[in-house]
Amino acid sequence: MNDGFNGLAVQIKPNGGGASFANVNSGLTAGVPRPAGQAFTYRNRVLDFDPLDPEAPGVGKGWTILGAINTASEISFAGGPLGRKINTATEPRGELFLANLYMQPYFTFTAQITLVRGVDTVFTTTFVPPAIELPQLPEVPEPSSAALLVTAGFAGAIAQRRRMLQV
């Protein structure tokens, strides 16, 4: 389908009672889009990020995004690169990163993706992944705990050094 479409529409909703997306975020951190795989829910802001932005030159795709919804109950948007076709050949593994989803274990979602060329729909699909428990993200100690660990390490190193000097 590469170069066979110039726009797309994405709608993703959690399934079941009590299901929702967690850590809903704009996808920007310090003005630069977040990469995939973080513990937040957001649409890919690289798509509409300016490719000439001085903070991250060449990162953005410069798409026009319409109707963006970024809530705990829905992630959706439509858009594409004005006057150009979409090609995923240069993307990692040939896959276009559309949204980062973060949910509680055993919940699932429904994603509907539609590809268009001009005003004609060329492909549409609905995807419902199985409910699985994803691996737990590693816990990072709070700053005061990390400081205690570093201080204890330095104290041990200093104690070792003093013993070596006393001999």
Side-chain angles (χ1 to χ4, degrees):
M1 299 283 314
N2 276 333
D3 291 327
F5 61 104
N6 58 0
L8 57 83
V10 176
Q11 183 181 49
I12 310 164
K13 292 185 175 185
N15 295 331
S20 65
F21 296 118
N23 297 342
V24 177
N25 189 282
S26 72
L28 288 176
T29 177
V32 180
R34 292 182 183 275
Q38 296 190 345
F40 295 96
T41 297
Y42 52 90
R43 69 176 175 83
N44 183 1
R45 292 296 301 266
V46 167
L47 298 175
D48 61 331
F49 200 65
D50 183 1
L52 302 177
D53 189 290
E55 290 184 32
V59 171
K61 297 191 179 302
W63 287 20
T64 299
I65 299 294
L66 303 170
I69 297 173
N70 200 51
T71 66
S73 60
E74 181 178 353
I75 303 295
S76 63
F77 64 92
L82 291 178
R84 296 178 289 147
K85 293 182 179 172
I86 298 172
N87 189 316
T88 63
T90 59
E91 300 296 324
R93 298 186 334 218
E95 299 171 352
L96 183 60
F97 167 46
L98 298 174
N100 198 76
L101 306 174
Y102 185 67
M103 300 181 78
Q104 296 301 319
Y106 300 113
F107 282 110
T108 187
F109 60 88
T110 298
Q112 183 174 23
I113 300 172
T114 303
L115 307 180
V116 296
R117 179 176 46 241
V119 295
D120 298 325
T121 298
V122 293
F123 179 78
T124 188
T125 188
T126 300
F127 174 70
V128 181
I132 59 171
E133 182 175 5
L134 298 174
Q136 188 76 336
L137 294 173
E139 290 187 24
V140 178
E142 60 179 289
S144 60
S145 299
L148 285 173
L149 291 172
V150 170
T151 303
F154 280 131
I158 290 170
Q160 289 286 339
R161 184 173 171 91
R162 282 191 180 166
R163 275 190 228 139
M164 290 186 347
L165 292 174
Q166 290 177 355
V167 173

